[in-house]
Structures are given as C-alpha cells and as structure tokens.
Amino acid sequence: MSRATDAIERLLGIMQRLRGPGGCPWDREQTLRSLRPYVLEETYEVLEAIDAGDAREHCEELGDLLLQIVFQAQLTREAGQFDFADVANAISNKLVSRHPHVFGDVEVEDAEQVLRQWAALKREEKRAKGRGESVLEGVPKEMPALARADRLTEKASRIGFDWPDASGAREKVSEEIGELDRAIAAGDRVEIEHELGDVLFAVANLSRKLGIPPEEALRGTVARFIARFSHIERELARRGVPHGGASLEEMDVLWNEAKVLEAKAKSGSAPAVTEPPRGLGKERG
C-alpha cells in the first residue's frame, strides 16, 4: 500500500503545483465545465486500449482518466467543497455498505442476488437522502443512447419488468420494425422518428437479454465498416480511380472482397483488413 500511497501523493502534489502560483497557465484556466469533454474522451480511450489488448497503453490511458478525477478534485478543493480524500472515502464507504455479504454477516447465493441486494440498498440510501425512489434513477442522461437504453432496461428488470427470455425481446424487435414500416409507408416524418427510436430501443433490450452490450456490438460493426471501406479506398487508389469515380457495383465487389479477407484473417490464412492509422491524438495526454 505504501507504493500506491506514495504514487497518489505525488500525483496530488503535481496537480496542486500545476494549479498554484507559477504553475501552468492552461491548467490554471480550467473549470469543471471546461474539463467535461476530457472525461468522456479519456474514458473512450481506456475502452480502445482494452479492446486492443495492449497492457502498456491500457495503463497509460487509465492514468489519463485518473488525472481527470484528480484535476476535478483539486478544483473542488480550491472551492472548499471536497477533495480527493473525500472522493476516495465516499466510494470506499459505498463499497462496504453495499457488500454486507463480504463486510457483514449477510449471505448470498449467487451474483444475481448480489445485484438485487445492491439495488435495494441503493434505494434505501436514496430514501434516506430524500431523493426519488425510482429504480431508473442514476443512469446519466449524457450516456450514449444505446448504452443508456441498456442500463435502463437492466434496472427495470431488477423488479421483474422484463421478458422471461430473449425470444420475447426478439419478437418485440419484429413488432417495432413492422410499426416503422407502416410509418414509412405513411410518410409521416415525426412518426418515423418515433418508431425508429422504438426499434433501436427494442434492439438494445434484445442485446441485453443476449448478454451483449449494444454499444460494444455497434462499436465492433463501426470498426468493421471502417476497415472494409478503407480497403475499398485503397484498392480504388491503387487502380487510379478518384473518389466518386467508381460505380456502386464496383465498390460492392471490393466490399465483399474485404469481407473475404476478413474471414481468412480470422482463420489465420491471410493478413487482416485493418483500420487506417489513428491521428496524432489530442494535445493533453
């Protein structure tokens, strides 16, 4: 623990110096609102490092994310609100109170019971604080919509508002697609948007029932789209065909070619079709 304590104290000291007199002009200008985009950006970069399986990069990106926590805690410390120790103690207290099966004498049978217990304890804490008691509370409004739909339906499922299995959720997807088709046929743009949202929500719910986070599933599809489309661009450039100079049929052939190469790469018989190199990145880490 002494090594971790020393490292945290060093980081807190560096942050205080950066914000103090004679520190960094950029750091001294920052506010909680100006730091908001960096929290999201760093979180996504941690996810990218996890997906890449690069331990060194993962460690570095976790450090960048930790900086955002330390930075905000320094700002609130200067405002006389709370400091990093308060942040660490708050989560420590929460972990202890919500794990009575570990730190107390409560017994649980499985992970599902742990989740139900966690939800019940969370509701009790909110009630004690005079907050609302809806099981849907606590899901940030600024989460990506698919991930938020996943979390909302998962929370609702904790009190039994859920399909018994994935088949019911799958039937709901078909039902919503039918309603979308009817809205498209009617040409009602407002209704089309409404029904399209219902389709996406139903798909997110099905993903949850299948145990596949919808945001991660879509991220994977986006990555494959980029890799396959990049293959099309490379091949057209190699043939001297300018952007917009190929027909849809020609590009479709190259798209299918990329899929074949992708399948061969999975079997180890060909190099993978990869995404283009990432850009230079951001200026702050």
Side-chain angles (χ1 to χ4, degrees):
M1 288 298 294
S2 61
R3 180 167 175 264
T5 300
D6 290 345
I8 287 294
E9 289 183 350
R10 180 186 178 215
L11 177 57
L12 293 175
I14 291 172
M15 192 70 253
Q16 289 179 29
R17 181 172 179 182
L18 290 173
R19 286 282 300 175
C24 172
W26 187 89
D27 290 285
R28 286 170 56 84
E29 289 179 356
Q30 300 314 301
T31 65
L32 291 176
R33 179 156 292 278
S34 72
L35 291 176
R36 290 175 79 254
Y38 295 103
V39 178
L40 280 175
E41 184 175 343
E42 299 299 356
T43 300
Y44 288 133
E45 295 202 351
V46 168
L47 295 178
E48 283 189 16
I50 292 173
D51 291 342
D54 187 329
R56 185 173 180 178
E57 186 74 8
H58 187 193
C59 178
E60 181 177 335
E61 296 300 345
L62 283 175
D64 289 347
L65 182 57
L66 177 59
L67 169 61
Q68 295 307 310
I69 298 172
V70 169
F71 207 146
Q72 290 193 30
Q74 175 62 28
L75 293 179
T76 54
R77 174 177 178 270
E78 293 168 7
Q81 298 169 334
F82 59 84
D83 61 13
F84 183 82
D86 294 318
V87 174
N89 283 326
I91 188 58
S92 293
N93 293 339
K94 183 181 294 184
L95 288 173
V96 171
S97 67
R98 294 191 186 174
H99 289 82
H101 54 289
V102 176
F103 301 102
D105 54 8
V106 175
E107 295 184 3
V108 294
E109 296 179 358
D110 52 30
E112 184 63 31
Q113 189 175 350
V114 170
L115 286 177
R116 290 196 298 269
Q117 174 183 261
W118 179 283
L121 291 170
K122 189 172 182 179
R123 287 196 299 274
E124 290 178 11
E125 291 171 7
K126 289 182 178 179
R127 190 180 299 115
K129 294 177 180 178
R131 296 180 181 175
E133 298 181 19
S134 172
V135 296
L136 300 182
E137 289 190 2
V139 181
K141 293 180 180 180
E142 294 196 17
M143 281 181 71
L146 279 178
R148 190 170 184 231
D150 181 33
R151 288 289 289 127
L152 288 170
T153 55
E154 186 272 328
K155 280 178 170 285
S157 72
R158 295 181 187 179
I159 60 169
F161 190 73
D162 197 10
W163 302 105
D165 52 45
S167 63
R170 176 61 186 86
E171 290 175 8
K172 186 64 175 176
V173 172
S174 295
E175 177 187 325
E176 297 296 353
I177 289 176
E179 293 182 5
L180 173 61
D181 287 341
R182 288 191 287 276
I184 293 173
D188 186 333
R189 184 172 180 80
V190 173
E191 193 64 17
I192 290 172
E193 181 178 344
H194 177 97
E195 296 300 342
L196 182 58
D198 286 352
V199 169
L200 293 172
F201 191 89
V203 169
N205 195 33
L206 174 61
S207 297
R208 177 185 61 82
K209 294 298 293 182
L210 294 173
I212 301 172
E215 194 75 23
E216 293 304 306
L218 184 56
R219 282 165 58 87
T221 296
V222 168
R224 289 191 296 275
F225 176 85
I226 293 173
R228 293 169 187 174
F229 192 79
S230 296
H231 173 76
I232 293 175
E233 290 183 312
R234 285 194 300 271
E235 282 300 304
L236 291 178
R238 185 179 64 80
R239 300 174 188 180
V241 180
H243 281 152
S247 67
L248 177 59
E249 289 74 16
E250 290 172 316
M251 290 188 286
D252 198 41
V253 168
L254 292 174
W255 175 273
N256 289 325
E257 181 180 286
K259 290 178 67 175
V260 170
L261 290 173
E262 192 177 278
K264 289 182 178 180
K266 287 181 180 179
S267 65
S269 60
V273 177
T274 59
E275 293 185 32
R278 292 173 60 187
L280 297 178
K282 59 189 184 308
E283 298 178 0
R284 298 290 302 175

